[in-house]
Structure formats: C-alpha cells, structure tokens
C-alpha cells in the first residue's frame, strides 16, 4: 500500500461537500480500494448502473457489479450517487421497441421506465443520496435547444419533467439532478437555464444541476464561466453537484498522440487549474453539495480512450503509482 500521509481529502472537505469517485468493481480492491477508503465518502458507478448494463433485457437485471459497490460503500461508510436513468448512450434498445420490433408507444415506454426506476430505487435507495435523473439532454449545436433522442421523440417535449416525476414517486428523499457537460459555458448555460426554468415552472421536482466538469489544463475562461453558471443555476433555487470531474492534459481539439508522459509544464498547469477550481468550489460551498472525480488515479481513466482512443492522459489527483500529485497538495493547502 502506498503511503498517503495523514491527510484525507474527504476529511479536509467534510464541512464543504462530499468528495466522490467514479468506480469499476476492480477499483474496490488493492491500491484504489485503499485510496477510496482513505480519501472519499461518495461513490458513483462509472458504468454499472447505466440502463444498458443493469437492465440488459426486459426480464433480466444484472445487479452483480452495482451490488458489490453497494456492499463496499456500506462496509466503509460511503454513500453513492445513482448514475443514470435517462441518457441517449448505453441504454438498452428493447425499451424503445414493441413486441413487433416497431417503435414502442409513449405509454409502453413510460410503463417500462417506471418499473425500471422502481426496481433500482428500491434496491439502492438506502445508500444512494442523489440520482442523475436525466443526463445530457441539451443540444451542443447553436440554435437547437434539445438533443434529438429516442426518449424525447417517444415521450414528447416535456419528457424531462415526466422522468423527474417518475423518480420522485419512488424516492422522495434523494437529491434529483439534471446532469450535463459544458453547461458552464455561456451558450449551453443559457439553453440549460431556459430548460430548467420551464420545467421547474411546470412543477418538475428538480433539485440540482450536475456540472460534469470534464475540463482541461488550458480552459481559458473556466473560472468566470463556472462562477456565472453556479450563480445562474442558484437563481432558480437549484443546488450544484460537480459530478464527473477530471482535468485533462489535452484540450478537446488537441489530438496529439506522441506524448508519453506528462511534461513539467503540463503538471504545473494542472496544479494551477485544480487550485483555482477548488477555490471556486469552496467559495460556493453553500450551493455545491458534492464534488466527484471521474476516476481515482492516473492508472485508469476513461480519458485514455476519449476523445482519442489509446492515448494516455493523466487527469486525476493521484499518479500512476497512486501517489498524491502536486495538484492534490494544491487543493488541501487552504487549511
Ligand atoms: C463514460 C465511462 O467513463 C466509460 O467507461 C464508458 O465507456 C462511456 O461512458 N458523461 C457521462 C458518463 O455521463 O457516464 C460517461 O462515462 C462520460 C461522459
């Protein structure tokens, strides 16, 4: 086991917000298991609770991985974020098809979704304190408000409200979240704001906005954008959760594949980014209820395959050996 000193990240932030990590079952043991127990008090299943994984066919659920996470969380006094009910990716096709293989009716899809949510909520609601109810529903392209998805096509314009109501019926204690990426950037922020304002006006039980926070070391307007976004969403009476944070060494447009280890400059920019971002989170601690990283250490991150397949990235607070990086020191140096 790597020595990580006495400081626990979750402990340092206990009066601010929960500190979470996205996990696979392999992360529950050995080095990552130890880091989870020491530094985190919240877990998100990186994939195991997505519709397609946990409910692969109408009459079959696969709880194995999610149950292991729940057991780990229970034995180590962590809570969980439920991720995610309605998304355009990693969703089983069966839910959208009727018995003749044609597109299912609205009534049928709602009925199936309700059953799905009921089963998942009943099984996990003791440990899950918050659900990502709808994920990534806003369109990135200028001019269009909503992403065109099967969910929206079948359930209709107000489907976001419908889905929040369905989850609320099954779990009225959890914080219910609308989650998206780039929703701190001005244009997507305004689209998201308009959607949330409308849904809240119509009575949708939305508690919070999830800012995924898949960022990079060179995001130039990030601090201003982030503050503005937190304030705009808060003006609707909503809380904020940071749901999937990582700080990539590469900007999205940067498709280089020849960098085999992080340069000194990269590590420096990353520690500055983490430092600045966490100062903002702390400044808004009354509004921010959790900060979750999309992984644990640089040993394994989805960024190794996104947006460039097979290119190593180093976006986390712990390095390839599981040791604290200078970025870690920067976010605990305020005490
Ligand atoms: C990613 C996982 O990390 C990958 O393992 C998987 O192959 C694809 O999905 N936004 C989300 C997350 O809400 O669920 C995604 O997770 C990353 C982007």
């Amino acid at each position: 086991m790597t020595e990580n000193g006495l400081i626990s990240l979750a402990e340092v932030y206990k009066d601010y917000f929960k500190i979470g990590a996205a996990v696979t079952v392999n992360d529950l043991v050995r080095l990552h298991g130890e880091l989870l127990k020491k530094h985190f008090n919240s877990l998100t299943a990186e994939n195991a609770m997505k519709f397609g994984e946990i409910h692969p066919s109408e009459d079959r659920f696969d709880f194995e991985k999610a149950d292991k996470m729940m057991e780990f969380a229970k034995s180590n006094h962590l809570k969980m974020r439920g991720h995610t009910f309605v998304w355009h990716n990693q969703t089983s096709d069966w839910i959208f098809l009727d018995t003749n293989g044609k597109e299912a009716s609205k009534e049928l899809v709602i009925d199936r979704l309700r059953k799905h949510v009921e089963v998942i909520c009943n099984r996990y609601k003791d440990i899950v304190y918050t659900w990502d109810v709808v994920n990534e529903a806003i369109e990135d392209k200028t001019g269009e408000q909503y992403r065109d998805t099967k969910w929206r096509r079948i359930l209709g314009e107000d489907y976001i409200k419908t889905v929040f109501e369905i989850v609320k019926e099954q779990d009225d204690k959890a914080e219910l979240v609308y989650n998206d990426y780039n929703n701190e950037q001005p244009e997507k922020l305004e689209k998201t704001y308009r959607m949330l304002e409308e849904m809240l006006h119509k009575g949708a039980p939305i508690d919070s906005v999830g800012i995924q926070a898949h960022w990079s070391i060179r995001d130039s307007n990030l601090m201003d954008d982030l503050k503005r976004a937190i304030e705009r969403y808060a003006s609707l009476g909503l809380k904020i959760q940071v749901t999937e944070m990582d700080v990539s060494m590469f900007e999205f447009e940067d498709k280089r594949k020849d960098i085999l280890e992080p340069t000194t400059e990269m590590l420096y920019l990353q520690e500055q980014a983490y430092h600045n971002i966490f100062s903002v989170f702390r400044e808004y601690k009354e509004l921010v209820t959790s900060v979750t990283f999309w992984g644990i250490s640089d040993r394994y991150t989805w960024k190794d395959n996104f947006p460039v397949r097979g290119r190593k990235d180093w976006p986390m607070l712990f390095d390839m050996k599981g040791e604290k990086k200078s970025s870690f020191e920067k976010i605990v140096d305020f005490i």
Side-chain angles (χ1 to χ4, degrees):
M1 216 306 276
T2 317
E3 179 52 57
N4 272 294
L6 293 172
I7 286 182
S8 151
L9 196 55
E11 186 64 25
V12 168
Y13 278 97
K14 72 175 188 317
D15 297 328
Y16 290 81
F17 29 72
K18 284 200 169 59
I19 298 283
V23 297
T24 69
V25 281
N26 297 331
D27 293 319
L28 307 177
V29 291
R30 297 183 288 273
L31 178 66
H32 279 183
E34 295 308 317
L35 289 173
L36 285 174
K37 290 182 215 168
K38 184 170 181 84
H39 293 288
F40 298 86
N41 49 20
S42 173
L43 291 187
T44 307
E46 183 180 359
N47 291 298
M49 289 173 80
K50 291 172 181 172
F51 208 119
E53 299 261 338
I54 204 161
H55 199 171
S57 53
E58 185 150 26
D59 47 11
R60 193 168 79 83
F61 283 86
D62 181 354
F63 299 122
E64 201 185 325
K65 292 178 181 150
D67 281 3
K68 284 189 179 148
M69 293 170 189
M70 173 168 66
E71 289 311 319
F72 180 92
K74 280 189 179 157
S75 8
N76 295 292
H77 312 291
L78 288 80
K79 296 281 182 207
M80 289 184 74
R81 305 194 69 259
H83 178 79
T84 176
F85 285 124
V86 165
W87 190 26
H88 61 283
N89 280 335
Q90 292 177 277
T91 302
S92 321
D93 258 348
W94 65 260
I95 189 168
F96 303 120
L97 295 172
D98 67 16
T99 41
N100 303 315
K102 299 251 162 50
E103 189 162 279
S105 66
K106 176 174 175 176
E107 290 66 34
L108 182 57
V109 175
I110 287 187
D111 187 49
R112 286 166 167 173
L113 178 65
R114 188 172 279 122
K115 287 189 181 133
H116 170 84
V117 169
E118 186 180 353
V119 171
I120 305 294
C121 281
N122 278 336
R123 198 171 184 99
Y124 299 108
K125 71 178 165 192
D126 291 347
I127 195 90
V128 168
Y129 64 99
T130 178
W131 300 98
D132 289 332
V133 174
V134 176
N135 199 27
E136 303 181 350
I138 297 296
E139 175 57 51
D140 293 311
K141 279 196 241 87
T142 301
E144 284 165 51
Q145 168 90 346
Y146 289 102
R147 187 189 292 272
D148 179 25
T149 68
K150 287 188 185 157
W151 290 111
R152 180 168 155 82
R153 253 178 281 154
I154 298 174
L155 299 188
E157 287 205 341
D158 284 344
Y159 81 106
I160 295 177
K161 171 174 179 271
T162 310
V163 178
F164 273 86
E165 284 168 349
I166 288 173
V167 178
K168 185 78 180 175
E169 278 165 28
Q170 300 304 325
D171 188 351
D172 62 355
K173 295 200 179 62
E175 194 175 319
L176 303 188
V177 180
Y178 172 73
N179 191 42
D180 214 328
Y181 59 88
N182 292 352
N183 53 353
E184 71 287 344
Q185 293 179 14
E187 196 179 321
K188 201 158 171 184
L189 164 62
E190 288 316 311
K191 287 189 203 177
T192 309
Y193 181 94
R194 276 203 303 279
M195 178 279 282
L196 292 166
E197 186 178 43
E198 184 187 335
M199 294 300 145
L200 288 166
H201 182 72
K202 290 179 172 166
I206 307 173
D207 299 306
S208 304
V209 180
I211 294 180
Q212 288 186 3
H214 293 297
W215 291 326
S216 91
I217 56 173
R218 293 174 213 274
D219 281 338
S220 40
N221 291 318
L222 182 56
M223 295 332 130
D224 288 344
D225 287 351
L226 182 58
K227 288 183 190 176
R228 187 188 316 109
I230 294 174
E231 287 174 20
R232 287 286 279 160
Y233 294 134
S235 74
L236 292 167
L238 297 169
K239 300 274 187 195
I240 309 295
Q241 295 198 34
V242 178
T243 53
E244 308 184 10
M245 185 172 181
D246 37 35
V247 181
S248 171
M249 296 299 190
F250 304 97
E251 286 169 289
F252 193 79
E253 298 69 30
D254 182 353
K255 302 286 167 14
R256 276 178 303 170
K257 287 180 99 166
D258 58 338
I259 300 196
L260 303 178
E261 56 184 274
T263 63
T264 314
E265 190 208 11
M266 283 174 165
L267 289 166
Y268 173 74
L269 291 174
Q270 190 177 52
E271 73 180 47
Q272 294 306 309
Y274 268 112
H275 172 85
N276 295 337
I277 293 163
F278 267 77
S279 318
V280 176
F281 293 164
R282 288 195 300 273
E283 187 182 332
Y284 290 96
K285 69 169 185 170
E286 306 304 331
L287 297 167
V288 177
T289 58
S290 74
V291 175
T292 288
F293 295 89
W294 208 242
I296 302 165
S297 82
D298 290 340
R299 274 192 185 191
Y300 163 70
T301 158
W302 78 301
K303 297 301 294 179
D304 293 344
N305 285 306
F306 186 85
V308 178
R309 183 153 275 284
R311 178 190 58 191
K312 186 70 199 135
D313 200 344
W314 305 271
M316 311 309 301
L317 293 177
F318 299 94
D319 68 14
M320 298 292 288
K321 293 192 187 124
E323 306 279 358
K324 292 179 280 186
K325 290 159 72 175
S326 51
S327 296
F328 180 102
E329 309 297 346
K330 288 286 175 186
I331 68 171
V332 298
D333 71 357
F334 67 100
I335 40 169

